[in-house]
Structure formats: structure tokens, C-alpha cells
Amino acid sequence: MISLEQLVRPNIWKLAPYSSARDEYSGKEAHVFLDANENPYNAPYNRYPDPLQREVKAALSKVKGVPADMIFLGNGSDEAIDLAYRVFCQPGRDNVVAIAPTYGMYKVCADINDVEYREVLLDESTYQFSADRLLAACDVHTKLIWICSPNNPTGNSLSRDEMLKVIESFEGIVIVDEAYIDFSQQPSLCRELPAHPNLIVMQTMSKAWGSAAIRLGMAFASKEIIHIYNKVKYPYNVNMLTQQQALEALKDPFEVDKWVKILLAERSRMIQALNELPICQQVFKTDANFFLARVTDANAIYNYLVDKGVIVRNRNRITLCKDCLRITIGTRSENNELLSALRQY
């Protein structure tokens, strides 16, 4: 197995991180703070937030079953995605491999960081992937493999056996994005972290936790990888308001379980109802809080729904998603409004 030092960009491995005032003193005994050039007025917003989000990580550790020092928190999962390129990929030289179709930010961040992005198509009928085909697209300059499960926009969970085959066979970093894992019957790969030091698992507060507005993404990985992420991130990347709201949400994870149960029931109802409509050609298997449906004319139906004030996602131009709409599960009344509009189409 290639060492972590061989995978990390040399300049990042040697990087001496910025040391903020709150890195140098993080205790609770002091009551006079004259070290960070903060304005003494307008408390508590005048103070810089904890740069390592210790309280939030401690609460998350209990919920997720992952040690706090194996958790990175960022400004949405997008920060963790961008950091992966900045930590591991040499611009203009290295490349990454990903399934297609999948979440578009992996490619956007590759383009921003001047890293070649190689796509391997999913099976057109099942939206599953082959580990062998994904690995065959790699070469000596492939640093990252991106896997999203449940996948966006297709909604399905990918084969666990194939994912593990990739993780065990690839001599680089494998990142599994589990943004929608709370809606899936498939267990999180977080339990595989101790056995696989090249694995990074990403999750988010935006979906099941109903907290998209606070922008809090999570990455779970070895202590060594998390240490490097913390070296590269901006000093105060997660603001105080986000940390406070996350702690509030984490006090009652059972409320999230209730939301998930309701959304799963609505998802089943919506899929059944869509399948009965003449405009629907196929609803694909899903393990997320949305489903992908192939319809007779995605562009026309999307524009019709816009006129009705109902917004879904038109995925017609995405690879393997011709004439497909991606429909998020809303409240029962929102879902009924969508169904009513489609029945009148």
C-alpha cells in the first residue's frame, strides 16, 4: 500500500498551517480575551468560533459512532470535495476517476483545480457500476476515485461489494459520498474506516437533518487524513451560528428518524402514483429522498410545471438521463400539488 505521504502533494505534506489565536488557546478558564484583535462589544458574535468545532464533533461522534478526531467539518460537503483536490492532486499532472452520471461538483472542483476528470459510465439499465471498469480507467497519476451512494441524480445505492473491491484494490484515496445514506437500507461505510486507511466517507446535515441552510458537511477518515485537512482548511471555516444550530439539531436525532420515516412513506406513495400516469415511462429504483423518472417529454413537462409554480429538476441533458426529471419528496400537500398538476397535463 502506498503511504499517505506519497499520496499527499509534497507542499501540503510540508505545510506549516496558520495558527490562529483560538488554536493557541482553547481553554474555558480564561474570561478576558485580548489575544485575537476582536471587538469587545456585540457579544457573543464578536468572538471567533472554535476553529476545530470540538463540541459539534463530540456530539456527532455519539450519533455517528466515529471518534471525534476522525471527523472533519466544512462549509457544506463542497468544502470537503475541494480540499480533496487541494490536498492530494497536483494541478496539471494528476487525475481523478468518477462514475457518471453523478454529483456535478466533483467535476467542477476538478476543473477549478486543473485536474483531469475521467468518467466511467454506469450501466444504462441498472445505474450500477463495475469496480473493474472503474479501476481500469486509473493510471499512476490517479489520486482519487469518487463514488456517490446513494447516487445523485439516479437515487440508487451502489453495490457494496463493488465499492469495497475498489477501496481494497486502489492504491489511492477512495471518497464515498453518502449525502443520502439516511434514506437507504444500506449501512454506512463509516464502519469500514478502521480497516481501510485510504477511505474517506462524506455526509451532510443538508438532507435527512433538514439543515441545508446552515451549510455543514462532514468527512470521516483516518486521524492522519483529518489532520491534513485541518492544516489546509481556512482557520474559521464553520461559523458560530452554524455550530450552534448543529448542536441544537444533534440534541434530538430521533426527530430526524421521524422525518425520514414520513419521507420514505411519501416516496413510496409518489412512485406508485407516478407509475400510473400516462406521461411516465419509468421510475428508477431509489434509496434517497428523491427519485428519477423518465417521462414522455422532460422539457415540455418541466416548463408546464414551472408555469404551475411547481419546480422539479430537469435532468434531460445529463448523461444517461434523457427525458428524466428528478423529483424531491416534499410534504404531503406539496407532493399532492405536483400530482394534481401532472394529472392535468
Side-chain angles (χ1 to χ4, degrees):
M1 178 67 190
I2 295 177
S3 70
L4 184 60
E5 182 176 358
Q6 291 172 288
L7 292 172
V8 173
R9 288 169 54 185
N11 64 305
I12 299 298
W13 185 262
K14 298 172 186 175
L15 178 69
Y18 173 76
S19 180
S20 72
R22 291 299 161 263
D23 284 311
E24 294 172 13
Y25 180 83
S26 59
K28 294 188 175 180
E29 296 80 13
H31 62 280
V32 176
F33 290 95
L34 304 176
D35 59 341
N37 300 337
E38 299 156 325
N39 186 324
Y41 305 108
N42 198 34
Y45 308 109
N46 61 323
R47 299 299 180 191
Y48 286 109
D50 176 5
L52 293 176
Q53 311 94 32
R54 294 170 182 86
E55 282 190 70
V56 182
K57 288 177 182 176
L60 267 174
S61 178
K62 295 176 183 176
V63 173
K64 300 292 184 179
V66 176
D69 57 4
M70 293 175 65
I71 302 173
F72 170 82
L73 298 180
N75 185 350
S77 295
D78 296 333
E79 182 178 3
I81 293 169
D82 183 58
L83 280 176
Y85 287 98
R86 293 164 64 193
V87 166
F88 296 107
C89 297
Q90 198 76 261
R93 188 192 74 172
D94 292 329
N95 66 75
V96 304
V97 171
I99 58 173
T102 195
Y103 182 45
M105 277 304 293
Y106 311 143
K107 185 177 188 309
V108 170
C109 285
D111 292 342
I112 290 170
N113 287 281
D114 191 21
V115 174
E116 181 190 353
Y117 185 85
R118 300 180 177 182
E119 295 181 318
V120 178
L121 293 183
L122 297 173
D123 181 88
E124 192 166 1
S125 58
T126 64
Y127 287 144
Q128 285 295 332
F129 82 105
S130 159
D132 290 337
R133 289 186 61 224
L134 210 59
L135 292 166
C138 301
D139 62 22
V140 293
H141 293 298
T142 305
K143 289 295 190 69
L144 308 175
I145 292 180
W146 293 100
I147 300 173
C148 185
S149 180
N151 190 32
N152 176 14
T154 60
N156 60 307
S157 292
L158 301 179
S159 166
R160 190 179 186 85
D161 289 342
E162 293 296 292
M163 287 193 287
L164 287 173
K165 184 175 181 180
V166 171
I167 295 164
E168 291 164 0
S169 303
F170 181 54
E171 292 197 329
I173 302 296
V174 179
I175 305 178
V176 180
D177 188 345
E178 293 185 341
Y180 302 95
I181 194 66
D182 298 287
F183 302 101
S184 174
Q185 296 300 308
Q186 193 176 90
S188 170
L189 283 174
C190 279
R191 63 180 63 181
E192 301 290 339
L193 288 169
H196 299 100
N198 65 327
L199 172 63
I200 298 175
V201 177
M202 297 193 314
Q203 294 184 14
T204 180
M205 296 287 286
S206 295
K207 311 304 179 183
W209 289 85
S211 298
I214 73 171
R215 307 307 303 130
L216 188 66
M218 308 162 233
F220 307 96
S222 69
K223 291 187 290 186
E224 292 76 15
I225 289 177
I226 297 303
H227 172 70
I228 295 169
Y229 263 56
N230 286 333
K231 285 206 308 180
V232 179
K233 76 173 184 69
Y234 291 125
Y236 302 107
N237 61 322
V238 179
N239 70 69
M240 184 190 74
L241 297 176
T242 291
Q243 294 187 44
Q244 288 177 340
Q245 188 56 40
L247 285 169
E248 194 63 32
L250 289 163
K251 287 179 182 177
D252 191 7
F254 298 109
E255 183 71 13
V256 176
D257 293 340
K258 292 177 190 174
W259 294 340
V260 169
K261 188 176 293 185
I262 293 169
L263 290 169
L264 292 180
E266 277 296 288
R267 187 181 74 187
S268 297
R269 184 178 75 92
M270 290 293 291
I271 289 173
Q272 181 178 348
L274 257 288
N275 274 320
E276 294 171 357
L277 296 176
I279 61 166
C280 182
Q281 297 182 332
Q282 182 179 4
V283 177
F284 294 94
K285 177 178 171 57
T286 182
D287 286 307
N289 66 331
F290 65 86
F291 59 86
L292 191 71
R294 178 160 284 129
V295 294
T296 50
D297 187 335
N299 290 340
I301 294 170
Y302 173 81
N303 291 330
Y304 162 79
L305 289 173
V306 168
D307 289 340
K308 294 285 186 180
V310 178
I311 310 302
V312 297
R313 195 79 186 268
N314 187 355
R315 301 282 77 186
N316 182 50
R317 294 185 179 180
I318 300 296
T319 304
L320 303 184
C321 295
K322 181 173 171 53
D323 276 321
C324 286
L325 299 176
R326 194 191 71 187
I327 299 173
T328 304
I329 305 302
T331 64
R332 189 175 183 87
S333 62
E334 289 171 333
N335 299 334
N336 286 342
E337 188 167 347
L338 169 65
L339 290 175
S340 176
L342 288 176
R343 285 166 181 150
Q344 297 171 48
Y345 178 76

